[in-house]
Amino acid sequence: MRLTSPMDSEGSPLPWPGGLSAAARAVWAKHDHDSDGWLPLWRHMADSAAVAERLWDEWVPDQVRRLVSAELPGDADDARRLATWLAAVHDIGKATPAFACQVEGLADRMRSEGLEMPLQKQIPDRRLAPHGLAGQLLLQEWLIERHGWPKPATLQLSVVVGGHHGIPPTQAQIHELTRHRSLLRTRGSDDAWRSVQHDLLDAAAQACGIPGRLNPWRDVKLPQPVQALLTAVVIMADWIASNPELFPYFPGERGSGPERIDAAWQGLNLPRPWAADEPDAEPGAHFAARFDLPTDARIRPVQEAAVAAARDMAAPGLMVLEAPMGEGKTEAALAVAEVFAARSGAGGCFIALPTMATGNAMFPRLLEWLGHLPDTRAGTGAHSVFLAHSKAALNEDFAELMRAGRRSLAGIDRDGGADTWQPRTDAQAASAELVAHHWLRGRKKGMLSSFAVGTIDQLLFAGLKSRHLALRHLALAGKVVVIDEAHAYDTYMNAYLDRVLSWLGAYRVPVVVLSATLPSRRRRELAQAYAGARDDDTGFAGVQAAQAYPLITAVAPGGLPGVSAPEASGRGTAVHVERLDDDLERLSRRLETELEDGGCVLVVRNTVRRVVETAAHLRKRFGDEQVTVAHARFLDPDRADNDAGLLAEYGSPDYVAKHGGTRPRRRIVVASQVAEQSLDVDFDLLVSDLAPIDLLLQRMGRLHRHRRGADQDGRPPRLRRARCLITGVDWDAPVPEADRGSRRVYRTYPLLRSAAALEPYLARTDGTGNALHLPEDISPLVQRAYGDEEIGPPEWGEAMEKARADHEKHQAEQHAKADAFLLNPQARPGRALVGWVEAGVGDADDTRRGKAQVRDTEETLEVLVVQRRSDGRLATVPWLSPDRQGRARGGLELPTDTVPDHRSARIVAACGLRLPPEFSNARTLDRAIAELEEQCVPAWQSKDAYWLAGELILVLDEECRSRLAGFELRYTRSDGLEVHRAE
């Protein structure tokens, strides 16, 4: 039975609006000031319930439905009824004087039916009765007075109504409204108001078939995760039912039949969730089919073991997969996700990565995998896909999907600005199996798409007290979550990650965590957080004690973990590690010797300043063409081109051949940390600043990564033995001292522990020392560096202890800072979500400033870069590469008296640049913003300037220079942004 049917389950006419009094029919819910159209409350209640029913049946993943159903005596039928009923009653608080007085004409209509109320200006304290909170109190009263519920039992359901605008009420707000009952019913017409409110609630109960279920539900104690999911479903139903293009307003009672919801649902065209089938093919054949491997290719033992472990688990849960760099962990995670989704009923997958750049690199890999899924190939309908970071609209792959998902709907809800999309052609609609759905966009809704790739921030936001947090939880509760590069997060971020994992475990969300260099203590913390175990739970001791590598750790929600040790793939590299004094001239001479017969060298520095200084010095000896630079301080399109160039020249032999690239005979790449993760590049020699051991090992993963001939004889003779030269340190000091920039980035203690762990392997240029074997030595080195035992020479002891104390103090400060807005753990079942996000941050914001909510970072400033020509006109910077259609992007003239055309404005918006730490100081930041605002182009700030309004524009002169807040800025395509204090 659908709620849009003219008959209820007992064959009686539905009470929408039949059976309602004239006064109840007069209560209004929506009003359009422009057209004077309006929507009665009963109609919006019916629309919302019908939408919730469709969402529950056709969009909510099985994984979510099962979780809610398990808590109710009537199982799946109860869950469906409860969700639709709560959506039906969510706006009952609009049947109050505090709300109804806002539109005088509609208020007069209600007064004529006996519902007396003062004028709006006569109710100064109406702010105490927002309609969500008012509805919560009215629903509680109805359950108590009409159905005999004890007051505590009413809260776990009524709080869904109270929180449907994104923030559940607090105890203080409830108490204050309780003291101002006249806001709910006007004195002198109390009975009339009460009769109307109960009329509407009775009608909703009858329409949703719940009168016979209220007694069994009275004794239910809903866990907080279930309350959050029901709240999110109600929010979605309300947003959809509030869209006047889907559900038109009207002055009377026309348009109330089943065709109303049918037309709206068809117009919305919300894609169904993923319905995964567990693969039954032999693992090798399965990987070949999903990832376009050659038919004779053999999958890695780690990949096969991961799938087997997923199948052996009693229930889908957390899997931590530790394996060397280049072992195909991402492909393993996607294969495991299929198994987990089929068994749990997950309706999608989210892949979380450390940075925007790594997210962009992963997105096409996700699309390729989706293109090989059986239900995609079978044409069963489009899957919704989302790229979850603040610049997703500038990503070409995602932009193509957005074009495929365009529709002629405007103003879907109040989530950001109203977007208007052109309708798709029939050809587009027929061919689009993967779309960025028009409704599933924006910072609050995008993650509700079935498949998403994004930064780790999107996951951490689920642990942040923020508005509409329930929607973020619903978005994750229906998916398999993959967390890549799990070692890359600091104490502050890990506090959020652990809290999110505890909620994901409560939601029974399958999670796959990937890392090549995970400390054993961190492995245990992840498992305990997901399982909801205490820190002193001895059942998890084995997780931390496990020494094997590769290693798979698996734990079901609420269960005990198990560990298994897959075979190694047999791929291995012996890396000879040497000390190298931190002297640029000595580095130049050493590289000249090493590159006598050619070769490709990667030099990794810990700060951009050192990258630029090193590259400038090396160019004096090797020439500009032999030295290239890669770091994060490039324009976004330049950085993307840099990454593509690295892959085209230093990628695997197959990749280079496939993309028409050529490996240089002799080249030096000087890079920052951008080279240490998510880039499949291969160099003959590595030079690296000292870094924490896990990151240093990641960098070593770019050394001799691929086989080049038998015994690496495809490499120059001098470089057939893998070597890593460790620099950035004063090795002659009594205790090795890293350079100031490295200490600022990583702090002293992790650097000292890294040096101590490497001490047995380090050699001077005489070649003495032990070879470091990858992957066998990865885990022992990581555990040694991050363990508690004392390491390093005795004479380092005092310095090590001082650094440790400073490090522990810093970690404690990070924990305390994270706690400020960290979501509380789940309370006992039955405890309502009242005050759930109290003292929160407001909206979780996916911007540079917003990321500071879940990252312990300084606020940074981002600008869009253009160039001023000698004639005074503005243009895009001249060197930008053409777009995918071969159209020029560089040197496009930009008007200053009007808004640039859509394409030009989008190109400017893509030329984002993050200013360096010199601009993070509050005083300098304010000065820079003030100076940039003075240079703004007024025409670009109009409401029509979608891409440019509100953005700060940095204008470079003809020589690509500028002055800002007391600094000289210079940008070059070869080196990116350089900043120097002005004379």
Side-chain angles (χ1 to χ4, degrees), residues 307-557:
V307 174
R311 289 172 172 165
D312 289 343
M313 291 178 68
L318 172 74
M319 177 182 292
V320 181
L321 177 56
E322 298 171 66
M325 299 70 75
E327 284 291 290
K329 292 189 292 295
T330 299
E331 288 77 11
L334 294 175
V336 168
E338 284 192 67
V339 177
F340 279 170
R343 296 189 174 190
S344 69
C349 182
F350 172 57
I351 305 176
L353 296 114
T355 65
M356 201 179 298
T358 53
N360 283 337
M362 179 62 68
F363 192 61
R365 297 175 66 183
L366 173 77
L367 298 182
E368 185 175 359
W369 173 64
L370 289 176
H372 290 82
L373 292 179
D375 60 337
T376 302
R377 292 201 308 268
T380 56
H383 285 313
S384 54
V385 184
F386 188 66
L387 180 59
H389 63 65
S390 58
K391 295 187 178 181
L394 300 173
N395 179 281
E396 286 299 322
D397 292 306
F398 186 61
E400 289 179 8
L401 294 179
M402 287 198 292
R403 287 189 285 271
R406 284 179 179 173
R407 305 214 18 111
S408 56
L409 271 167
I412 294 296
D413 57 50
R414 299 173 186 174
D415 179 16
D419 296 328
T420 301
W421 306 100
Q422 299 301 316
R424 294 180 295 177
T425 66
D426 290 341
Q428 286 175 317
S431 63
E433 293 297 337
L434 301 174
V435 297
H437 192 266
H438 58 98
W439 195 80
L440 296 173
R441 297 184 188 171
R443 67 181 185 275
K444 295 177 183 176
K445 296 180 302 178
M447 284 288 291
L448 292 163
S449 301
S450 293
F451 295 94
V453 169
T455 58
I456 188 68
D457 309 82
Q458 298 294 334
L459 182 64
L460 301 185
F461 282 149
L464 180 74
K465 290 182 179 179
S466 56
R467 191 179 185 91
H468 290 112
L469 181 62
L471 281 179
R472 291 190 177 274
H473 280 220
L474 176 62
L476 294 172
K479 293 183 174 65
V480 178
V481 174
V482 177
I483 304 170
D484 202 0
E485 308 282 3
H487 56 274
Y489 312 122
D490 62 16
T491 301
Y492 185 93
M493 297 173 71
N494 283 335
Y496 279 93
L497 180 55
D498 288 351
R499 185 58 48 83
V500 171
L501 283 174
S502 72
W503 280 85
L504 294 183
Y507 286 120
R508 306 188 74 83
V509 169
V511 178
V512 185
V513 176
L514 306 178
S515 179
T517 52
L518 192 65
S520 62
R521 181 190 294 113
R522 186 69 194 127
R523 180 196 309 142
R524 177 176 179 168
E525 290 169 350
L526 294 170
Q528 288 182 162
Y530 183 83
R534 300 187 312 272
D535 291 342
D536 59 354
D537 193 327
T538 57
F540 287 78
V543 172
Q544 186 169 343
Q547 297 295 317
Y549 189 79
L551 186 72
I552 295 175
T553 304
V555 57

Side-chain angles (χ1 to χ4, degrees), residues 687-703:
V687 180
S688 175
D689 283 348
L690 180 67
I693 193 66
D694 49 339
L695 305 183
L696 196 53
L697 289 167
Q698 291 283 341
R699 297 173 187 181
M700 291 184 195
R702 276 67 190 154
L703 180 60

Side-chain angles (χ1 to χ4, degrees), residues 27 368 863:
V27 179
E368 185 175 359
V863 296

Side-chain angles (χ1 to χ4, degrees), residues 689-900:
D689 283 348
L690 180 67
I693 193 66
D694 49 339
L695 305 183
L696 196 53
L697 289 167
Q698 291 283 341
R699 297 173 187 181
M700 291 184 195
R702 276 67 190 154
L703 180 60
H704 286 215
R705 187 180 180 96
H706 295 288
R707 182 69 58 187
R708 296 188 181 275
D711 297 325
Q712 300 287 7
D713 61 10
R715 302 182 192 273
R718 292 185 59 89
L719 302 178
R720 290 172 186 171
R721 186 175 71 163
R723 280 174 295 150
C724 173
L725 313 181
I726 308 294
T727 185
V729 182
D730 181 358
W731 292 114
D732 293 325
V735 178
E737 183 175 355
D739 80 278
R740 181 180 178 183
S742 297
R743 298 198 307 271
R744 187 184 69 246
V745 173
Y746 296 120
R747 306 191 68 82
T748 299
Y749 188 61
L751 294 172
L752 271 180
R753 295 283 299 191
S754 180
L758 286 172
E759 186 67 19
Y761 303 94
L762 285 166
R764 293 280 185 183
T765 54
D766 60 5
T768 58
N770 301 313
L772 189 158
H773 292 273
L774 304 181
E776 301 91 86
D777 290 331
I778 291 178
S779 184
L781 277 168
V782 171
Q783 310 320 326
R784 182 171 167 78
Y786 283 97
D788 296 323
E789 72 277 7
E790 294 183 5
I791 58 175
E795 56 269 26
W796 294 13
E798 183 178 349
M800 189 79 79
E801 182 59 25
K802 180 180 178 182
R804 182 192 63 78
D806 178 71
H807 185 69
E808 290 177 352
K809 178 183 177 183
H810 176 69
Q811 287 186 312
E813 291 170 349
Q814 284 190 308
H815 270 295
K817 187 176 178 181
D819 282 343
F821 300 118
L822 187 63
L823 184 64
N824 295 330
Q826 303 96 14
R828 66 180 186 276
R831 178 74 177 271
L833 290 175
V834 171
W836 193 40
V837 297
E838 187 174 3
V841 299
D843 281 324
D845 193 4
D846 186 19
T847 62
R848 295 279 180 197
R849 175 175 294 181
K851 286 180 175 61
Q853 297 167 337
V854 290
R855 296 184 188 235
D856 187 22
T857 57
E858 296 178 314
E859 184 180 343
T860 56
L861 188 64
E862 186 160 8
V863 296
L864 305 182
V865 176
V866 299
Q867 187 178 38
R868 190 180 300 279
R869 295 171 172 170
S870 58
D871 58 8
R873 291 181 294 179
L874 297 183
T876 60
V877 293
W879 57 79
L880 295 178
S881 59
D883 64 19
R884 291 184 177 181
Q885 289 73 42
R887 297 173 298 178
R889 294 190 299 172
L892 301 181
E893 186 173 327
L894 302 168
T896 55
D897 54 346
T898 62
V899 177

Side-chain angles (χ1 to χ4, degrees), residues 180-194:
H180 292 77
R181 285 282 178 175
S182 62
L183 295 170
L184 303 180
R185 301 186 184 99
T186 305
R187 292 187 181 91
S189 60
D190 301 53
D191 291 343
W193 279 104
R194 183 185 299 270

Side-chain angles (χ1 to χ4, degrees), residues 154-219:
T154 65
L155 267 176
Q156 59 184 334
L157 297 184
S158 63
V159 74
V160 174
V161 171
H164 81 267
H165 275 283
I167 301 179
T170 65
Q171 288 288 2
Q173 291 171 324
I174 295 171
H175 176 72
E176 195 65 20
L177 181 54
T178 303
R179 294 177 56 245
H180 292 77
R181 285 282 178 175
S182 62
L183 295 170
L184 303 180
R185 301 186 184 99
T186 305
R187 292 187 181 91
S189 60
D190 301 53
D191 291 343
W193 279 104
R194 183 185 299 270
S195 176
V196 162
Q197 292 159 355
H198 285 192
D199 243 14
L200 290 165
L201 289 169
D202 288 342
Q206 185 65 34
C208 299
I210 69 151
R213 304 308 303 152
L214 287 174
N215 278 341
W217 289 354
R218 181 170 50 196
D219 298 324

